[in-house]
Amino acid sequence: MTATTRYRQPDRMPADLLTTTDLLRSVFRRHAAGVAVVTARGDAGPVGFTATSLTSVSAEPPLLSFGIGTGASSWPAIAEADHVGVHVLGEHQQELAATFARSGADRFGAPTAWREGPEGVPVLDGVLAWLVGRVVARVPAGDHRIVIAEVVHGDPTGTGRPLLYHQGRFQRLGD
């Protein structure tokens, strides 16, 4: 018995979607991503932002990466920081994720619970896991920079389920 596969020609996309950032955004809205908050110590105090671009790069040495827009309010501090904190958020932290994603928000004011962690990096309380990394590279990538950091401290012992970002909203992991 042989199986046959029928190829169906995809519906035509408008030409303007094929060459614009709209296509990239449309595709990545369908990609579920874990939610993290990246923090650093800036000259004027702690900074941080919500990121869905967190990636494990290498096990040996232990490297991670994330992207940040050069127009982001946190970029000047991240651009100068020796160390950054990366926090994996739980599904109970949708409001925290929204606070760190909102422009102009007092991200480290109440009700955000945090403390100064290793290397002076702000560490958020109640997260599923956190890492502190020594920045080893900032790679230009269009209107963003890809920051690569070597992990030097961390705690993977938080409890709960991860928070996801999908279709432009924070979501809970389904069973």
Side-chain angles (χ1 to χ4, degrees):
M1 180 195 267
T2 61
T4 58
T5 303
R6 300 196 82 164
Y7 175 76
R8 184 177 83 81
Q9 188 71 9
D11 296 334
R12 281 267 193 235
M13 290 189 74
D16 60 337
L17 264 186
L18 295 176
T19 58
T20 67
T21 57
D22 292 341
L23 175 61
L24 182 68
R25 287 184 177 131
S26 293
V27 169
F28 274 89
R29 284 181 62 86
R30 296 176 179 271
H31 173 69
V35 180
V37 167
V38 176
T39 61
R41 175 64 65 185
D43 289 339
V47 300
F49 65 97
T50 300
T52 57
S53 60
L54 180 62
T55 305
S56 171
V57 174
S58 169
E60 190 56 46
L63 298 175
L64 61 84
S65 72
F66 59 86
I68 180 172
T70 56
S73 61
S74 297
W75 170 241
I78 300 290
E80 298 297 323
D82 292 328
H83 292 84
V84 293
V86 175
H87 307 81
V88 177
L89 300 191
E91 63 185 10
H92 63 286
Q93 295 177 303
Q94 290 185 23
E95 284 302 314
L96 182 67
T99 296
F100 275 84
R102 194 170 29 255
S103 180
D106 181 4
R107 296 172 179 163
F108 290 90
T112 302
W114 66 281
R115 67 191 181 283
E116 185 172 309
E119 310 299 337
V121 171
V123 172
L124 303 176
D125 293 340
V127 297
L128 296 186
W130 60 267
L131 297 167
V132 169
R134 181 180 56 81
V135 176
V136 297
R138 294 173 185 87
V139 181
D143 61 355
H144 279 61
R145 295 296 179 268
I146 306 302
V147 178
I148 301 172
E150 182 175 4
V151 175
V152 294
H153 302 282
D155 182 356
T157 62
T159 60
R161 293 164 53 107
L163 180 62
L164 300 178
Y165 191 72
H166 182 250
Q167 293 288 7
R169 296 187 338 229
F170 297 113
Q171 308 268 346
R172 295 175 184 265
L173 184 65
D175 289 325

